[in-house]
Amino acid sequence: MIAFIIVAIGAYLIGSIPSGYLAGRIAGIDIRSVGSGNIGATNVTRALGKGYGYAVFAADFSKGLTAVIVAKLIGQRQASSLNSYEVLQIVAAISCVLGNAFPLWLRFRGGKGVATSAGVVFALMPLAALIGVVVWVASFQLSRYVSLASIIAALTLPITVAVLLHFGLMNDSLLLYVSMGLAAVVLLRHRSNLSRLIRGTEQSFRRSRD
């Protein structure tokens, strides 16, 4: 039980490192006061450019990946059964995403959880993650909306996991519930984007013209 508590708190703290906010401070601005006010990679890209945006995405992705890997290492030493070993990684994954979305340091106003969710999904279920990337890229190329691509990828993840489980390409049914939880967090954090998409006021990334 102590291992689970340590992993949950540690993963939350890793996830709550405000990469976008720190990037803004390095650039001399408070990213919460520009654009959408969100500290995620999309708003950072719009406000500060691709260099900062890609760095923030990589940092948020790495938080999810790191939290699960650390939990795996702890589990190898502490977990008494295969089931508890897997649950330890799942606890880390969920705690890290919640830390990213609701960071203690910024009064629980964080990012959308997409990049960090991608990191934990790659660590827990790489095949489903690769399919999710394909879905995200295809959705973005067709729509040019980052938010819509993220929503579609999130909704597709539990379906992908269910199909992989059905065909025996995954064997841990707990991951289906994890994928549903991650999708719920991403959708919850994109409520305002969904509202703007419906009204037709959401900002898109237009293709550059030579």
Side-chain angles (χ1 to χ4, degrees):
M1 180 59 69
I2 294 178
F4 285 91
I5 295 174
I6 292 173
V7 165
I9 295 175
Y12 172 83
L13 292 175
I14 290 173
S16 67
I17 298 171
S19 308
Y21 174 79
L22 294 175
R25 284 305 185 190
I26 291 172
I29 67 170
D30 185 343
I31 195 65
R32 298 172 297 176
S33 65
V34 298
S36 66
N38 190 264
I39 66 170
T42 301
N43 193 44
V44 171
T45 300
R46 289 196 177 106
L48 302 177
K50 292 181 179 180
Y52 280 98
Y54 292 162
V56 169
F57 181 90
D60 286 344
F61 179 92
S62 298
K63 291 189 299 187
L65 194 67
T66 300
V68 175
I69 290 175
V70 170
K72 182 177 181 179
L73 294 174
I74 293 174
Q76 290 174 343
R77 293 176 175 271
Q78 301 293 332
S80 58
S81 69
L82 178 61
N83 185 57
S84 59
Y85 168 76
E86 293 171 342
V87 172
L88 201 63
Q89 295 177 68
I90 291 171
V91 168
I94 295 174
S95 299
C96 187
V97 172
L98 290 176
N100 176 258
F102 308 103
L104 174 66
W105 325 112
L106 299 180
R107 298 182 180 179
F108 306 105
R109 296 179 60 185
K112 304 290 187 181
V114 175
T116 304
S117 292
V120 303
V121 172
F122 263 98
L124 290 172
M125 34 188 162
L127 181 55
L130 289 173
I131 295 172
V133 169
V134 172
V135 171
W136 190 95
V137 171
S139 300
F140 177 71
Q141 289 298 323
L142 289 172
S143 70
R144 306 304 296 179
Y145 290 108
V146 171
S147 58
L148 181 59
S150 299
I151 290 170
I152 292 173
L155 289 172
T156 303
L157 180 61
I159 299 172
T160 300
V161 173
V163 171
L164 294 176
L165 286 169
H166 177 75
F167 287 103
L169 298 173
M170 289 176 57
N171 54 22
D172 188 353
S173 59
L174 283 175
L175 293 178
L176 176 60
Y177 301 104
V178 173
S179 66
M180 294 170 65
L182 293 176
V185 172
V186 171
L187 290 175
L188 175 66
R189 299 296 293 162
H190 280 81
R191 289 174 298 171
S192 59
N193 302 89
L194 185 58
S195 177
R196 290 193 294 270
L197 284 166
I198 293 173
R199 296 197 306 266
T201 58
E202 179 75 334
Q203 186 175 357
S204 65
F205 278 91
R206 298 298 180 186
R207 292 181 175 85
S208 59
R209 296 178 179 178
D210 297 332

